[in-house]
Amino acid sequence: MDEQTGGAAEASSAIAGTKDKLEELCVNTIRFLAIDGVEKAKSGHPGAPMGMADMAFVLWTDFLRHDPKQPSWQDRDRFVLSAGHASMLLYSLLHLTGYPEMTMEQLQSFRQWGSKTAGHPEYGDAPGIEATTGPLGQGFANGVGMGIASKMLAARFNTDDAFKPVQNWIYVICSDGDLEEGISSEAASLAGHLGLGNLIYLYDDNDVTLDGDKRLSMSEDVKKRFEAAHWHVQKIDGHDRDAVRKAIRKAQKVTDKPSMIMAKTVIGFGSPKFHGTSRAHGEPLGPEEAAATKVALGWPAEPAFYVPDEVRSEFARKVKRLARARKQWDTGMAEWRARNPQLAAEWDACWSHSLPEGFELQLADAGKTDKPIATRELSNQVIQKIGDIAPFVVGGAADLASSTKTNFKNGGSIERLKDDVNDPPPFDLFKGKNLHFGIREHAMGAALNGITLYGPFRVHGSTFLIFSDYMRPAIRLAALMQIPSIFVYTHDSVFLGEDGPTHQSVEQLFSLRLIPNMTLFRPADGVETGMAWAWAIGNKHEGPTIIVLTRQKVDIIPHGADFDPHQIWRGAYVLDGYADGDFTFIATGSEVTLAVRTAELLRDEGIRARVVSAPSLDIFDRQPEDYQNEVLGDRSRIVAIEAGRSSGWYKYVNHDALIIGIDRFGASAPLADIEKHFGFTPEAVAERVRGWR
Amino acid sequence: MDEQTGGAAEASSAIAGTKDKLEELCVNTIRFLAIDGVEKAKSGHPGAPMGMADMAFVLWTDFLRHDPKQPSWQDRDRFVLSAGHASMLLYSLLHLTGYPEMTMEQLQSFRQWGSKTAGHPEYGDAPGIEATTGPLGQGFANGVGMGIASKMLAARFNTDDAFKPVQNWIYVICSDGDLEEGISSEAASLAGHLGLGNLIYLYDDNDVTLDGDKRLSMSEDVKKRFEAAHWHVQKIDGHDRDAVRKAIRKAQKVTDKPSMIMAKTVIGFGSPKFHGTSRAHGEPLGPEEAAATKVALGWPAEPAFYVPDEVRSEFARKVKRLARARKQWDTGMAEWRARNPQLAAEWDACWSHSLPEGFELQLADAGKTDKPIATRELSNQVIQKIGDIAPFVVGGAADLASSTKTNFKNGGSIERLKDDVNDPPPFDLFKGKNLHFGIREHAMGAALNGITLYGPFRVHGSTFLIFSDYMRPAIRLAALMQIPSIFVYTHDSVFLGEDGPTHQSVEQLFSLRLIPNMTLFRPADGVETGMAWAWAIGNKHEGPTIIVLTRQKVDIIPHGADFDPHQIWRGAYVLDGYADGDFTFIATGSEVTLAVRTAELLRDEGIRARVVSAPSLDIFDRQPEDYQNEVLGDRSRIVAIEAGRSSGWYKYVNHDALIIGIDRFGASAPLADIEKHFGFTPEAVAERVRGWR
């Protein structure tokens, strides 16, 4: 098919060539729901749904193991529309396959305030939307996370019984834009490395991007690229539904490699004027061309949002057949549970993220130490305890586990070394808890989101705080989806020393705190570290947690005998023994050590200071005003200390308060020199306090 | 060579097999300078310099057209050490080839406060450091930017004369980590697409990353991957210096494709115990193993930092020969100038970024309009004017030029369509000014930095503000390097409407303002837009400029007849006609329209308000306190309005001021609904003001 030139003629002839008029009707229903949705909204992306409709129809009605009546069925196949701008495709499919919440009214309220049909699919807005997508490449990497999660679940629960609790596939539709983004290369490389045979990706290969011909900027050999990353690649005509069927079936047979189906399609398929052009990409066809497309595809001009009765019944018939898989799974699972009561209990514990009563105090306790060590080391102690009490928690690092100290010691490593990649991955490869994401922070972030979205696991991923910048879009999406992904960042300030300014965070702390729905902890000691982790693994509806840790040692913070660690969950609290004074130090993380030492130094001079530890300003923001006032005291009599940009503190203090921060980039030097030159010693802080008070 | 097992024996036998003892001595000098530097600093990465020494020696002494006495020679070859952690390699080479500032004392002060030898190479610290590297993948993409800049310069100035002003190569040494980062895939795809035959990359293929065997997380077929992106790929033994020579010579002959030389090396080469292991990667060998390595390679135990006399003279001899190229260029250039006086003047104007007197007022004027339009449209007007007066300004977009409106209308497009990639790129391909980076924001950011670093061009790159998150590490590096890259971001708030929260900035404005050395403009009208651009293209030493623009229309802001646009360069100023009032509105960008409309509405009720437009809070921060106080007035009587996170405003206002911001994620809906529901209408703001005052 020539996708560059010509008009309705080719489109019509393509249609005439199809063998099944009913299918054609179904596919065109999807197309026109998308077209009419975009027309009514007067904005949106009609071209992609028009081009993807054939393959999406085949996938959703012949393959996708889902049950619209039980959208959260644990073993459903996952479908991610990485090309989120084609959202009307997903909404149309959810509607036609009978997801109750995706009503006709919703389709007609596309992109309107309060609808479930946002411009890009928003996780949580309606069942069946498995991930928020739109920022390109994210869904691609979410799928890799889901694939990992499914493999990990299978390794734990797929016993020798004939029935396997985990049988699902991860399907993703992606676009040129997804492939151009670097995150997809990272994720593809990881998926190929791990041999994720449960991934089946359909690439909508339409040669067009927003600015015009794709080949304005992209000419790579996509087949070769994915083969280089150990994917199984097929090339098909994406409008040939039988070819799509065959390709998916073939992909299902390749169980040791992820599958990429390159489906050549025509963007804006059916539009006499705009098909195959970027004009079809990012704006409505317009009434005239929408009408012309209806003529070209033999569709009635009226009514808009038309769904023929026979289409409704065909979808119902097909979905009913697919939903049988769910019923069979229910039956099989009941038998499996009876035969494997212990495993069944573990399965439920995993999916419910079950934690023992008082687990947070156990973790606070696990963080205790009898000598000053770095909070990353304290975190390591806590993680070992989590390994004991919460088997559903898994984690990994972006090739920095030896520095971030996040490995579960007895967790087992999900690793495939040397020439293993030429053999199918062993089934028990995924029994481990420690993942190796490689030097791919962005894909790690999105994969963490995918693992979290999949369901039964709570997962953390770690790197240095500075590299949070490399994965910020994924952090933001976790926050937007309000899912509890856990991001762990060590080496959290200029105090990492010699690696220098490229590796030293300065603006990252307050910058991350600006992301809505997110909880950042920067613990000062082991008890705070334990409670930070407890928040992260126990939190069910609060969005992601970020835990920020030091490379360097911190003191043991004074807590009285009656200290209740739950105070830490108020975000900021007055330290025992430092409740009274002329003014208040407020500090986070390693700077609490500095505040306490300075307070001690000043105490010898008869100057008394209150000291507030603020492990989480995000949580503190959510406290009642009374509590905030009680903790902060007089906002003019505050000395705020944090080794990062100072400006965020003005939210908490008056302009005549003293803020000790770092408003320049760092420097390469040993810790002691950095402390001295940046004025982060008790002596230097005391001197500034004397001048200020 | 078996790089996985064995000890000093193989290393020694490899040495015995070399044909040139003097070369061996030179290479080992590099190795031991790195080892001793890391030992003395008690931190650093010895393994990579030890492994890269052979190829780096060959490159720097047989190929690199540079002159240590004239480090800023315009046509020098550029060398970027993308694997910045191997910094001692670069410092050793700069020292041995005779860069005056890289003294022995500097090598001995590696990673110490105030030295020019930071943990990772810092641009500006010493001549010969062409880019700040360390955050992996950045240098890889900087090189692509440099390659583009060189091609653009050549297309403009390489005449039919025998002498060509632009002859240089871009050499990059990169590592596993660089290749795992997605940015390198983006950059490689772009480089292959553009056929950047002036790139020669050496990949230090050592199979080891920080956490251990590289194949823990990476197993892709690198050769195939780069071939898929249309690179010329060679595989060699990276310790066989003749093979390195041959490969570079061959790469120089491939002028229509970027070249990748995969050089298999042994990390920690020469260390009996740690060679080929991750133990050699990120920490000193330790005194014992450093000594053992000296024994193994036949090196004297003392003194540390030993440079044999014959090595000094050999480097001097080789560098002298290389520097001849510079002298020949000087001669050739003088003749070329004589023959091409007009072009020579353009060459100088380009390199000096020459601008006509009063250019900023011309741009302010170009931004004027007689009806409300979006600031992205106003920016487009200004860009056309820039095209007329500043030929050295070029730009591009991440596949959003049609939305960001940043193309030069008569600039010519650097595009290679359809099947062109199978033919050598035409020479004049790079005559255009409009670049197409593809949907690759991160590589775009780093390429902008590379183009800027190269010298003669001032370059901008654009996408939506939300996608600044995708390129944040590159923005940060521009700020750290204090280079004037220009980042243009449109669709700057929830007011982009229907695309919804995935595309709507909320935290980005104040988050970007947290980056040190950076100047963000959010202009309110055409005059401010013109002055923002004038700052961006005229700025020589102030670091990067970010220009943030609206998708939606803004009003024409009232400026009196005497208005001096230079006021805009104070960051914030009182609007003409709104100098007196009971309180002060301060707003940025589109919210200045809202502030003025609200002030008008309240004026009818007898409530008078001052209105301050604050196009750049970053510049405002640098003003004298008196001016700040004069503009802000009573900090308790301020209403601050910006469609983003509110917390940053507390730096400027007291806690009893009124801040109208957005502290949640956005929503998908038409503009008018968004304005209404978020309370960003004159009526809603007036109501809040009434309640507050």
Side-chain angles (χ1 to χ4, degrees), chain A residues 15 95 106 117 168 181 223 228 241 248 252 276 300 335 352 361 377 396 419 425 538 552 656 689:
Chain A
I15 292 161
H95 174 74
Q106 289 297 336
T117 47
N168 58 7
E181 293 287 359
K223 180 165 189 286
R241 291 187 295 276
I248 296 179
Q252 289 185 337
E335 288 165 19
S352 64
L361 298 178
E377 302 277 5
D419 300 323
Q552 81 277 19
D656 51 358
V689 170

Side-chain angles (χ1 to χ4, degrees), chain B residues 145 149 353 447-459 483-486:
Chain B
H353 298 163
L448 295 178
N449 292 343
I451 294 170
T452 303
L453 287 165
Y454 185 83
F457 298 106
R458 185 62 52 97
V459 65
I483 59 170
S485 307
I486 305 169

